[in-house]
Amino acid sequence: MTLDHSPSPNDVAGIYEGIGPVYRTVWGPNIHYGYWENDADDSSIEEATDRLTDLMISGLAAQAGQRVLDIGCGIGHPALRLISACDVNVVGITVSHDQVAQATERAAAAGLADRATFQFADAMDMPFPDGSFDAAWAFESMWHMPDRRHVLAETARVLRPGGRLAIADVIERGPVSPEGRVVLDHICENYAVRSLGTVDEYQKALAANGFVDVEIRDISDNVSRTLAVMADAVETVRDKLADLVGEEQATSLIDFMRLSAVTPESGYLFLTAVRA
Ligand code: SAH
């Protein structure tokens, strides 16, 4: 489904400053899905979420000294891991002032304040000159964008020719059954999402914006456990969630997480591309 209005930066911030901190008490500083190798993999939330960051890091293949744009940086945990792994400089953007403050504090605490800066900016209208980054990633932020194609155009603009892009994103996988549609609608209505992307939409939008060497992997099977694990984790702080959103909504959020974990239409992709 498509919300009849696009989520504003304020709507997105409302999620990450509202229920976000409650989820974070049980999920940790990575505001994204976990990656499990297979059913036998019993990695913890921390290990599985860091593993997804490591997949993004290897996909980005950034070189030491490069300048990387982190589109939708959260509280900066993935950016700091990227810097430690690749010795790059990162500029992170988010539409939450609270996240800017937390990410900045974390960079300072890690002794990386000179390598990582975070600022409030809308990916739909990036305050950066053309060709000013060597690489960019959007780590589970694209699902919130009112117009993904436009964000990809902005990303192509601020990347230099040859610059690499990596994206991890929650997507819709067709064909969508009526039961699947109910779950996808719940996601859109409750997590500031206008519509979920698809592999096909990404392929077209990347090509239309001059990205080449596009490699898209459907990693739904590796990450879908996230929702079940998160449901169990959030269950332990149900009272705090209910204080914020009410009993009924807390139940609905947790129930839909469990449902989403077993709904094949609720998918996830990882992609890399190069700006021509
Ligand atoms: N990449 C981080 C956070 C993912 S949560 C991590 O993996 O931990 C999604 C992030 O996207 C949030 O920081 C949110 O503020 C950001 N975001 C959503 N819409 C945005 C927009 N239009 N412009 C910039 N950031 C946006």
Side-chain angles (χ1 to χ4, degrees), residues 22-121:
V22 176
Y23 285 23
R24 209 172 306 135
T25 57
V26 290
W27 197 253
N30 283 315
I31 311 175
H32 58 243
Y33 280 45
Y35 183 103
W36 286 269
E37 299 290 353
N38 49 49
D39 288 348
D41 181 352
D42 62 357
S43 300
S44 66
I45 292 169
E46 184 184 351
E47 288 164 336
T49 52
D50 277 343
R51 190 178 295 130
L52 189 55
T53 304
D54 291 343
L55 186 64
M56 287 286 278
I57 289 173
S58 66
L60 199 64
Q63 308 295 311
Q66 286 190 333
R67 187 161 186 258
V68 179
L69 175 62
D70 182 352
I71 303 164
C73 60
I75 59 171
H77 201 66
L80 299 181
R81 192 169 174 90
L82 171 65
I83 293 169
S84 301
C86 301
D87 197 17
V88 291
N89 299 297
V90 175
V91 176
I93 62 170
T94 167
V95 288
S96 157
H97 289 289
D98 183 55
Q99 289 186 340
V100 171
Q102 287 197 53
T104 303
E105 236 176 76
R106 289 174 151 268
L112 294 172
D114 55 334
R115 315 303 300 272
T117 57
F118 300 96
Q119 65 189 76
F120 184 97

Side-chain angles (χ1 to χ4, degrees), residues 1 3 5-16 19 95 140-146 148 184-196 253:
M1 83 151 221
L3 281 186
H5 68 280
S6 293
S8 67
N10 229 8
D11 295 333
V12 174
I15 299 289
Y16 289 100
I19 59 176
V95 288
E140 223 171 280
S141 56
M142 291 296 273
W143 60 327
H144 297 298
M145 303 297 172
R148 274 177 289 277
L184 298 176
D185 282 356
H186 168 90
I187 294 172
C188 291
E189 283 159 13
N190 290 279
Y191 294 97
V193 172
R194 177 170 170 273
S195 68
L196 292 170
L253 289 170

Side-chain angles (χ1 to χ4, degrees), residues 11-275:
D11 295 333
V12 174
I15 299 289
Y16 289 100
E17 295 170 9
I19 59 176
V22 176
Y23 285 23
R24 209 172 306 135
T25 57
V26 290
W27 197 253
N30 283 315
I31 311 175
H32 58 243
Y33 280 45
Y35 183 103
W36 286 269
E37 299 290 353
N38 49 49
D39 288 348
D41 181 352
D42 62 357
S43 300
S44 66
I45 292 169
E46 184 184 351
E47 288 164 336
T49 52
D50 277 343
R51 190 178 295 130
L52 189 55
T53 304
D54 291 343
L55 186 64
M56 287 286 278
I57 289 173
S58 66
L60 199 64
Q63 308 295 311
Q66 286 190 333
R67 187 161 186 258
V68 179
L69 175 62
D70 182 352
I71 303 164
C73 60
I75 59 171
H77 201 66
L80 299 181
R81 192 169 174 90
L82 171 65
I83 293 169
S84 301
C86 301
D87 197 17
V88 291
N89 299 297
V90 175
V91 176
I93 62 170
T94 167
V95 288
S96 157
H97 289 289
D98 183 55
Q99 289 186 340
V100 171
Q102 287 197 53
T104 303
E105 236 176 76
R106 289 174 151 268
L112 294 172
D114 55 334
R115 315 303 300 272
T117 57
F118 300 96
Q119 65 189 76
F120 184 97
D122 188 346
M124 294 285 289
D125 183 18
M126 298 185 192
F128 306 113
D130 296 0
S132 52
F133 290 94
D134 300 298
W137 78 17
F139 199 165
E140 223 171 280
S141 56
M142 291 296 273
W143 60 327
H144 297 298
M145 303 297 172
D147 183 345
R148 274 177 289 277
R149 189 180 275 251
H150 181 75
V151 172
L152 289 174
E154 272 294 86
T155 306
R157 181 183 67 73
V158 301
L159 275 177
R160 65 161 168 81
R164 282 183 73 81
L165 169 68
I167 294 177
D169 197 20
V170 180
I171 55 159
E172 166 179 324
R173 291 199 301 177
V176 180
S177 67
E179 305 80 54
R181 182 57 64 200
V182 171
V183 174
L184 298 176
D185 282 356
H186 168 90
I187 294 172
C188 291
E189 283 159 13
N190 290 279
Y191 294 97
V193 172
R194 177 170 170 273
S195 68
L196 292 170
T198 63
V199 167
D200 189 51
E201 179 208 274
Y202 267 111
Q203 255 154 359
K204 291 189 176 121
L206 287 162
N209 286 295
F211 285 97
V212 294
D213 294 345
V214 176
E215 285 180 35
I216 301 186
R217 263 177 68 192
D218 182 329
I219 57 168
S220 309
D221 289 349
N222 297 99
V223 306
S224 63
R225 201 193 303 180
T226 297
L227 284 317
V229 174
M230 191 182 277
D232 287 345
V234 172
E235 189 72 63
T236 67
V237 288
R238 169 190 280 273
D239 290 354
K240 282 193 215 148
L241 187 59
D243 284 348
L244 270 182
V245 300
E247 280 296 342
E248 203 178 315
Q249 173 70 345
T251 301
S252 164
L253 289 170
I254 295 171
D255 286 354
F256 268 101
M257 279 177 209
R258 292 196 204 290
L259 204 52
S260 196
V262 293
T263 297
E265 292 93 334
S266 163
Y268 202 97
L269 68 66
F270 163 64
L271 72 81
T272 56
V274 176
R275 185 226 196 267

